[in-house]
Amino acid sequence: MLYHLFQWLEKTYQTPGAELWNFITFRAGVAIIISLIISMLFGGRIIKFLRNQQVGETIRDLGLEGQKEKEGTPTMGGVIIIMAILLPCLLVADLTNVYILLMILSTTWMGMIGFADDYIKVFRKNKKGLHGMFKILGQVVLGLIVAVTMLISEDVVVRMDAEIAESNNYEIVKRIDVPTKSGETIEIAHVKTTLTNVPFLKDSDFAYSSFLWFLGDNASKFVWVLFVPWVIFLVTSVSNAANLTDGIDGLATGVSAIIGVTLGVFAYVSGNVVASGYLGVLNIPGSSELVIFAACFLGACIGFLWYNSYPAQVFMGDTGSLTLGGIIGAMAILLRKELFIPILCGIFLAENLSVVLQVSYFKYTKRKYGEGRRIFKMSPLHHHYQKMGMPEPKLVTRFWIVGILLAVFTILTLKIR
């Protein structure tokens, strides 16, 4: 809203300073500040309201140190995160941008699913919460919306040399003549494609239609058969992995903030013609606006840590964890960096795999030996280290450090090719 207001003031009255709102970096800084103010200013009041409504967490006794002391801590604090993302985004971002609109939808949709789950747990006194089938269905719907929009929207395109687009039979949406330093012009095309970046491999942009090579020229017409299920799988997996990671104070929030910074870097590079050309990544027109959303996301996570760091005054609940995971998954896909997820979201992946391995091995050994055996003392992985006696603040800090290392390595993959 503010962005559009200052755009109007600049065009109509040439208002001094209004042109600042044309700069992504300026608006990103404003977005972080507003997000922090909202989360820290209103966070305490929301926590007080939740406490008055007796919206307390019910803790299952897992035999972990300090666990029972958390009984009754207000949950559903993810409302703070959602509010601190959406409000500054609505104020500072370009609301005509398709990527911003998709991320606002993703945040709202996943927030509603998580809120319904927490509401059933807290107010209906049903510990199982929203039926798993409905949670998965909600994630599937979000993945479907993201995938279909990417396939059909003429605003979701990749910018490349027109000759390259023609030689690969890509669907060209728009052609632009761009002047060069020598005074000549080159023709640039905006194309509809499922191209995505592959880490570690130079100039190896990969199109999902390649899997349908046997269809020849019809491969691009039927690529949705692969692309839609793949996007749904990614959104669902990352969302659930973030939910599993949210088990101790500040863990999921801090890790998500680190991932958000990295996605912000990717958004800036992908939307910048010079930077994307230098690094050899896909240039995605309009995607630089996602820097603003990443700034809102970062500010919301850091602001929430003010209350969620050990000892936590509030838990985010599924309202927050499902939303954080859904946002990360959707944003990585929109930036065509979904193949970077195993590295960037390594903490989430490890937490998820620990549960899968633990359950699978337990069932296997029970069938083979008559009694179930375990790989870890407890899963998800963070509970394994708690069982080993590692203090919660130290454990969270170490996970954050690993998350930073993974984030830096993910950014370095843009050069390691």
Side-chain angles (χ1 to χ4, degrees):
M1 295 177 185
L2 289 177
Y3 168 74
H4 296 288
L5 172 63
F6 281 103
Q7 285 272 300
W8 177 76
L9 288 173
E10 182 188 1
K11 291 177 181 178
T12 308
Y13 300 106
Q14 289 77 48
T15 305
E19 68 276 5
L20 275 173
W21 290 81
N22 294 323
F23 295 98
I24 292 289
T25 49
F26 175 78
R27 286 191 287 132
V30 172
I32 290 177
I33 292 171
I34 295 175
S35 184
L36 280 169
I37 291 173
I38 289 173
S39 55
M40 294 173 67
L41 186 64
F42 294 101
R45 298 178 183 181
I46 292 174
I47 292 169
K48 185 178 179 181
F49 172 79
L50 293 173
R51 190 177 288 115
N52 291 338
Q53 296 296 315
Q54 298 182 336
V55 184
E57 182 77 8
T58 302
I59 304 293
R60 287 191 304 124
D61 189 5
L62 301 175
L64 298 171
E65 184 179 349
Q67 182 186 24
K68 294 307 290 182
E69 284 81 351
K70 298 182 180 183
E71 186 84 45
T73 301
T75 187
M76 301 178 77
V79 172
I80 301 170
I81 297 175
I82 294 170
M83 185 173 67
I85 291 174
L86 291 180
L87 291 182
C89 187
L90 292 171
L91 287 172
V92 178
D94 178 3
L95 300 181
T96 63
N97 184 282
V98 64
Y99 297 104
I100 290 295
L101 293 175
L102 277 172
M103 293 313 303
I104 290 174
L105 173 65
S106 300
T107 305
T108 307
W109 180 252
M110 293 306 298
M112 289 169 58
I113 296 170
F115 184 86
D117 186 48
D118 286 335
Y119 181 85
I120 293 171
K121 287 178 182 176
V122 174
F123 292 101
R124 298 292 180 85
K125 307 301 179 183
N126 185 343
K127 294 182 180 180
K128 293 183 179 180
L130 187 66
H131 195 284
M133 181 184 69
F134 292 110
K135 273 201 248 186
I136 296 296
L137 180 61
Q139 294 162 336
V140 167
V141 170
L142 176 60
L144 184 63
I145 292 171
V146 171
V148 171
T149 303
M150 290 187 71
L151 288 172
I152 68 173
S153 173
E154 293 191 354
D155 293 322
V156 181
V157 294
V158 173
R159 185 180 188 270
M160 63 175 65
D161 189 281
E163 290 185 6
I164 297 175
E166 289 170 352
S167 64
N168 287 280
N169 295 318
Y170 293 140
E171 179 188 346
I172 298 177
V173 175
K174 184 168 66 172
R175 296 175 184 267
I176 306 170
D177 290 326
V178 179
T180 63
K181 291 182 179 179
S182 62
E184 300 177 351
T185 61
I186 58 172
E187 191 176 36
I188 297 297
H190 286 187
V191 302
K192 290 295 302 174
T193 175
T194 57
L195 277 174
T196 190
N197 286 124
V198 181
F200 302 115
L201 301 180
K202 187 176 182 180
D203 299 325
S204 59
D205 302 329
F206 171 76
Y208 290 100
S209 56
S210 301
F211 283 119
L212 303 174
W213 55 269
F214 53 88
L215 294 177
D217 293 338
N218 291 320
S220 59
K221 295 180 182 178
F222 295 96
V223 69
W224 62 270
V225 175
L226 293 175
F227 187 70
V228 172
W230 174 239
V231 170
I232 290 172
F233 169 76
L234 288 173
V235 170
T236 303
S237 298
V238 179
S239 181
N240 286 325
N243 192 25
L244 285 173
T245 305
D246 181 36
I248 50 180
D249 300 349
L251 178 57
T253 315
V255 172
S256 297
I258 295 165
I259 295 171
V261 172
T262 311
L263 290 175
V265 172
F266 283 157
Y268 183 82
V269 169
S270 298
N272 187 285
V273 175
V274 177
S276 59
Y278 172 71
L279 293 170
V281 299
L282 294 171
N283 179 226
I284 309 170
S287 66
S288 57
E289 198 67 23
L290 286 176
V291 175
I292 308 301
F293 188 88
C296 298
F297 182 82
L298 174 63
C301 288
I302 294 175
F304 186 69
L305 270 176
W306 184 270
Y307 301 104
N308 186 237
S309 57
Y310 183 86
Q313 295 172 252
V314 66
F315 299 137
M316 69 172 72
D318 282 9
T319 306
S321 59
L322 288 176
T323 303
L324 292 179
I327 287 171
I328 291 168
M331 195 168 172
I333 293 164
L334 291 174
L335 290 170
R336 301 174 191 262
K337 301 294 185 293
E338 66 271 18
L339 298 183
F340 292 73
I341 286 177
I343 306 171
L344 178 59
C345 301
I347 297 293
F348 290 170
L349 179 62
E351 295 275 28
N352 212 15
L353 281 178
S354 68
V355 174
V356 173
L357 290 172
Q358 184 87 320
V359 173
S360 300
Y361 187 70
F362 185 87
K363 290 181 177 179
Y364 168 74
T365 52
K366 190 169 184 178
R367 285 197 308 269
K368 188 171 184 178
Y369 304 109
E371 64 173 356
R373 299 177 184 178
R374 293 175 172 82
I375 300 174
F376 307 100
K377 293 179 180 294
M378 184 179 289
S379 64
L381 188 60
H382 56 264
H383 287 327
H384 169 77
Y385 290 107
Q386 279 186 290
K387 280 286 189 180
M388 292 176 64
M390 186 178 293
E392 195 169 318
K394 187 174 186 177
L395 172 59
V396 172
T397 303
R398 288 186 173 180
F399 270 63
W400 287 353
I401 293 170
V402 173
I404 293 171
L405 289 172
L406 291 171
V408 172
F409 183 65
T410 304
I411 294 173
L412 286 177
T413 60
L414 297 178
K415 289 295 291 180
I416 303 174
R417 293 185 168 197

